[in-house]
Amino acid sequence: MTSNKPKIVVLGAGYAGMMTTKRLTQKLEAEEAEIVLVNKHNYHYQTTWLHELAAGTLDPNKVRMLISDVIDTSRVDLVHDTVVEIKKDENRVILENGELEYDYLVVGLGFEKATFGIKGMEENAFSIQSVDSSRLIREHIEYQFARYSSGEDTNEENLNIIVGGAGFTGIEFVGELAEQVPKLCKKYDIDRKKVRIINVEAAPTILPGFDEDLVDYARKSLEFRDVEFRIGTKINECKPDAFVVGDDNEEIKGGTIVWTGGVQANSILGKSGFEIFKGKMNVNTDLRAPGYENTFVLGDCAWVMNKETDRPYPPTAQIAIQEADTCANNIAALLRGGELEEFVFDNKGTVASLGGSHAMGTIFEGKKLYGKTARAMKNVIDNRYLFMLGGPNLVLKKGKLRPF
Ligand SMILES: Cc1cc2nc3c(=O)[nH]c(=O)nc-3n(C[C@H](O)[C@H](O)[C@H](O)COP(=O)(O)OP(=O)(O)OC[C@H]3O[C@@H](n4cnc5c(N)ncnc54)[C@H](O)[C@@H]3O)c2cc1C
């Protein structure tokens, strides 16, 4: 498709990319701009549900949807390809199978795992990063159970699942494991006591930065379901079958090792010559890349400053979705010669699932929620996003409608 209209290229169909594209189709008339959305896969997935897929508590097809089912393809040109590099000074994007020119660029390429140089972590640990990487974890765990049950592997330690990092993702993941492991034990006739779920964290607490009461609740809930914590424990190395930890280099053994301890912006940004600070890009208040007036960087690729604390907001789906609105407004303003707006984050709270009917978090002005109420609120948050993206039909098709 070639035209004389200004061309907006959106890279990545995650929360930021999908919502920006959706909003652009709503805010712009067809003759105002050509819109192109580039993504590695022909489907969009809910990154916030990947821990459930990885543990085996949610079906892979529940997590994803065809992009063409939710984006108006009469308005948007969908390109199913992998971005390799952004030639930022030439307004071109290099793809694995071609290239694209742009007048305006939106980068929503998400995160990659950050291993902080821990020896062996990159090679030996799984990560919850995409549908494919999460499906691999689920299959690997079940394979360990099947091997043990069949007598092919008699080493009980290979049943252990060790998880590095007790931040949001690590805690949500061990919560799902606490629900799934008893089911796998039943399926493969294995005594539950033989399987250990061990969460290792260098900080002195799980969920650093969370409210103390919520942390306490989460820890008790998970320990009650036999999750073991090794808090204040530094991982020195990741071997194929163990974390090596602490001053005495103790080995914590397991047949499945998952690293959830850190994320950074997609490395394409750094490779393309954009300045990266502590793993991500510091963007201007209007979400543009410093020095590049036609380029917006959103979601997990960007640090957006919280003026009140003088620290960046933690990257979340919530902020990525809100950034999409500002980005679409600002592109419309650039096209029409209007004023650009500043991004203002409206924090609606955070709820973490702890597996099954267990959850905790805060909503609105810090109101604390626990247990089934928190779990129900988590479903409301997830279904709200689906509603914004694809209306009631998408909620009915992909939403979490059943009580836990
Ligand atoms: C397990 C887990 C649970 C989470 N839970 C929550 C939660 O409860 N609440 C919350 O607010 N946040 C949560 N988060 C954080 C949240 O998921 C991220 O902040 C959010 O996904 C960021 O959105 P994004 O659009 O920047 O990136 P993503 O949603 O990750 O999307 C990036 C997109 O880019 C595509 N892509 C990547 N590389 C390329 C390439 N080279 N070429 C083409 N396409 C490419 C990917 O396929 C993907 O479609 C969670 C994260 C994880 C991992």
Side-chain angles (χ1 to χ4, degrees):
M1 200 197 302
T2 50
S3 74
N4 294 326
K5 293 184 276 191
K7 188 167 177 173
I8 306 164
V9 172
V10 180
L11 304 180
Y15 294 96
M18 286 293 275
M19 283 313 292
T20 302
T21 306
K22 180 99 193 167
R23 294 287 181 243
L24 286 171
T25 59
Q26 291 166 335
K27 285 176 204 294
L28 299 178
E29 299 299 330
E31 56 277 7
E32 282 186 285
E34 184 185 337
I35 306 167
V36 181
L37 174 60
V38 185
N39 198 56
K40 210 184 243 187
H41 309 103
N42 64 349
Y43 58 83
H44 161 64
Y45 54 82
Q46 294 251 55
T47 309
T48 57
W49 293 1
L50 289 180
H51 58 290
E52 297 175 55
L53 170 54
T57 50
L58 197 65
D59 187 85
N61 287 329
K62 189 83 178 175
V63 174
R64 62 184 178 166
M65 65 202 72
L66 283 175
I67 297 170
S68 55
D69 279 354
V70 278
I71 293 292
D72 178 357
T73 51
S74 70
R75 293 287 311 279
V76 180
D77 191 7
L78 300 181
V79 175
H80 176 188
D81 207 337
T82 299
V83 179
V84 177
E85 193 184 344
I86 300 161
K87 297 274 186 197
K88 57 188 185 345
D89 298 313
E90 300 165 26
N91 291 344
R92 277 192 306 135
V93 179
I94 310 298
L95 308 174
E96 254 174 28
N97 303 299
E99 61 176 71
L100 286 167
E101 290 186 348
Y102 60 83
D103 297 295
Y104 300 97
L105 184 71
V106 180
V107 184
L109 290 169
F111 66 95
E112 286 178 4
K113 77 173 163 186
T115 57
F116 311 116
I118 300 172
K119 192 175 165 199
M121 195 63 87
E122 192 65 48
E123 306 86 293
N124 296 321
F126 290 104
S127 70
I128 303 173
Q129 197 170 324
S130 63
V131 168
D132 289 334
S133 75
S134 304
R135 200 159 32 189
L136 212 54
I137 298 171
R138 167 203 197 102
E139 299 299 335
H140 182 85
I141 293 172
E142 190 147 355
Y143 183 57
Q144 301 304 311
F145 278 66
R147 273 167 56 82
Y148 185 80
S149 167
S150 68
E152 203 172 300
D153 181 1
T154 52
N155 183 0
E156 212 171 287
E157 284 175 336
N158 282 336
L159 293 171
N160 295 345
I161 305 163
I162 50 180
V163 180
F168 203 86
T169 302
I171 290 301
E172 285 204 314
F173 180 50
V174 294
E176 294 304 314
L177 289 174
E179 296 295 307
Q180 184 66 359
V181 163
K183 290 183 190 147
L184 287 176
C185 287
K186 210 166 170 193
K187 183 169 170 186
Y188 289 97
D189 306 310
I190 294 170
D191 181 357
R192 170 67 185 87
K193 291 194 183 70
K194 289 186 175 177
V195 187
R196 297 172 66 196
I197 305 165
I198 310 162
N199 189 198
V200 185
E201 167 62 55
T205 172
I206 65 166
L207 294 167
F210 261 66
D211 172 275
E212 247 176 65
D213 294 343
L214 297 176
V215 169
D216 196 41
Y217 175 87
R219 186 163 178 164
K220 282 188 183 136
S221 161
L222 293 164
E223 282 178 336
F224 184 73
R225 285 173 287 148
D226 296 321
V227 174
E228 298 172 40
F229 289 104
R230 295 290 305 271
I231 302 306
T233 304
K234 189 168 166 275
I235 302 170
N236 306 323
E237 183 180 349
C238 176
K239 291 186 171 176
D241 63 345
F243 278 154
V244 182
V245 304
D247 293 340
D248 53 355
N249 283 326
E250 177 199 349
E251 290 199 354
I252 302 175
K253 296 271 194 183
T256 306
I257 305 178
V258 182
W259 172 246
T260 69
V263 296
Q264 61 195 13
N266 194 310
S267 54
I268 286 170
L269 279 175
K271 282 184 202 144
S272 303
F274 286 107
E275 196 175 326
I276 299 299
F277 175 74
K278 291 193 176 169
K280 295 175 199 248
M281 185 196 286
N282 280 328
V283 290
N284 297 338
T285 51
D286 56 19
L287 305 178
R288 287 188 290 184
Y292 292 87
E293 304 226 313
N294 63 347
T295 302
F296 293 81
V297 179
L298 312 180
D300 281 5
C301 287
W303 289 127
V304 179
M305 274 325 245
N306 177 346
K307 282 185 188 161
E308 279 169 28
T309 61
D310 214 21
R311 292 167 61 88
Y313 290 109
T316 60
Q318 187 186 173
I319 202 166
I321 292 163
Q322 292 184 25
E323 285 167 8
D325 265 348
T326 302
C327 174
N329 285 343
N330 285 346
I331 291 178
L334 287 170
L335 287 168
R336 294 168 184 164
E339 289 254 315
L340 271 64
E341 65 183 46
E342 270 193 19
F343 173 71
V344 181
F345 180 46
D346 174 18
N347 191 352
K348 295 185 163 44
T350 309
V351 181
S353 62
L354 302 169
S357 60
H358 310 272
M360 57 80 190
T362 53
I363 52 161
F364 307 120
E365 302 295 305
K367 182 177 166 36
K368 293 176 199 171
L369 298 180
Y370 302 93
K372 287 185 177 160
T373 319
R375 181 67 236 199
M377 183 50 70
K378 179 95 178 161
N379 288 359
V380 169
I381 295 166
D382 292 341
N383 291 338
R384 180 175 173 270
Y385 167 68
L386 291 172
F387 185 81
M388 277 163 40
L389 190 62
N393 285 345
L394 190 62
V395 178
L396 287 174
K397 218 164 137 189
K398 301 285 177 184
K400 291 188 176 168
L401 303 172
R402 273 187 299 168
F404 12 84

